Amino acid sequence: MPRLYKRKLGSRRYRDYTAEKLEAAIEDVRNGISYRQAGEAHGIPFRTLKNKIDKKHTKRAGGQTIFSEEEELQLVKSLKVCAEWGQPITTLEIRMIAKRMLSLQGRVIKQFPNNIPGCDWVASFISRHKADIRLRSAANIKRSRAEKTKCEMTNYFDNLKLSLKDIPNTCIINYDETNLGDDPGKKKFIFKRG
């Protein structure tokens, strides 16, 4: 299936009903109305209605996820906690976490090379949980560095004054190591939405 699949609308009706209509049709059948009459009244195919009542095809429509809904919600919760603590997770790291989860469960997914989910899996995961998490570029300053109090700043300059005593100005080099790594503003991390 292509990455940006768009369903083609044509003569075939496909899931043109809401969950509320489906529940109402099921309730009508339980109240004694035939499958066909309830389906026609609510615009639901007869076979779909029968399958729902007989508990056939209980999985969600479309492709199935590799992790259960509970496992995915736990993963989302962990990602949100990491972001709140100032250590957001990249898409590569979430792929490695998913690989680790699969190997701990002893599962091998044949679609994943070396059992590592691809970038498409991460994009699908984020879109499934877009109400809770999102990809965002990181700020160029760390939270721990930005959250300094006036007292800490005063202590720093007092200590600096003591440590630089009797040192000539020619021996003092201003060196800031924050820009040695790659630019964190260019990377995207997973954060809590809002």
Side-chain angles (χ1 to χ4, degrees):
M1 181 182 293
R3 287 183 187 196
L4 301 174
Y5 175 77
K6 290 187 180 174
R7 182 170 61 93
K8 294 177 185 170
L9 297 175
S11 60
R12 180 174 175 245
R13 231 177 61 202
Y14 179 73
R15 294 185 64 86
D16 289 338
Y17 54 87
T18 62
E20 292 82 21
K21 283 186 178 182
L22 180 63
E23 289 301 319
I26 290 172
E27 191 61 35
D28 286 349
V29 169
R30 288 186 180 142
N31 290 334
I33 297 175
S34 72
Y35 288 109
R36 290 200 189 274
Q37 289 173 340
E40 287 173 6
H42 296 282
I44 298 172
F46 154 75
R47 180 48 66 189
T48 301
L49 191 55
K50 183 151 178 44
N51 286 340
K52 292 293 180 185
I53 291 174
D54 294 344
K55 304 234 186 288
K56 290 184 181 176
H57 312 294
T58 56
K59 294 181 180 177
R60 294 186 306 142
Q64 303 304 309
T65 59
I66 58 167
F67 296 114
S68 68
E69 192 172 335
E70 296 82 27
E71 290 171 327
E72 284 201 355
L73 289 175
Q74 187 63 37
L75 188 56
V76 167
K77 184 179 174 186
S78 301
L79 292 172
K80 286 165 46 176
V81 167
C82 288
E84 286 173 11
W85 288 352
Q87 295 295 324
I89 303 293
T90 63
T91 55
L92 177 64
E93 291 169 335
I94 194 169
R95 290 169 58 201
M96 294 301 126
I97 291 170
K99 178 191 184 324
R100 180 75 175 143
M101 287 172 66
L102 289 172
S103 61
L104 286 175
Q105 294 173 358
R107 294 171 50 200
V108 176
I109 308 297
K110 64 181 179 179
Q111 293 88 351
F112 298 158
N114 297 327
N115 223 22
I116 300 173
C119 297
D120 291 340
W121 177 84
V122 175
S124 297
F125 175 79
I126 291 172
S127 71
R128 278 194 301 275
H129 301 286
K130 62 185 169 191
D132 296 323
I133 59 174
R134 69 182 212 132
L135 270 178
R136 196 175 79 194
S137 295
N140 207 9
I141 187 167
K142 291 187 166 79
R143 177 184 288 188
S144 59
R145 189 168 181 186
E147 292 178 347
K148 297 297 178 190
T149 63
K150 185 177 179 180
C151 181
E152 288 175 302
M153 295 298 280
T154 307
N155 286 341
Y156 170 76
F157 284 108
D158 289 342
N159 290 334
L160 183 64
K161 202 181 285 183
L162 288 174
S163 61
L164 294 179
K165 189 177 179 184
D166 299 326
I167 295 178
N169 289 341
T170 56
C171 295
I172 298 173
I173 299 171
N174 183 13
Y175 183 73
D176 185 7
E177 67 277 354
T178 55
N179 289 327
L180 284 180
D182 55 349
D183 186 10
K186 300 292 183 193
K187 278 188 178 177
K188 295 219 174 194
F189 294 91
I190 299 172
F191 288 96
K192 178 181 175 181
R193 183 169 285 282

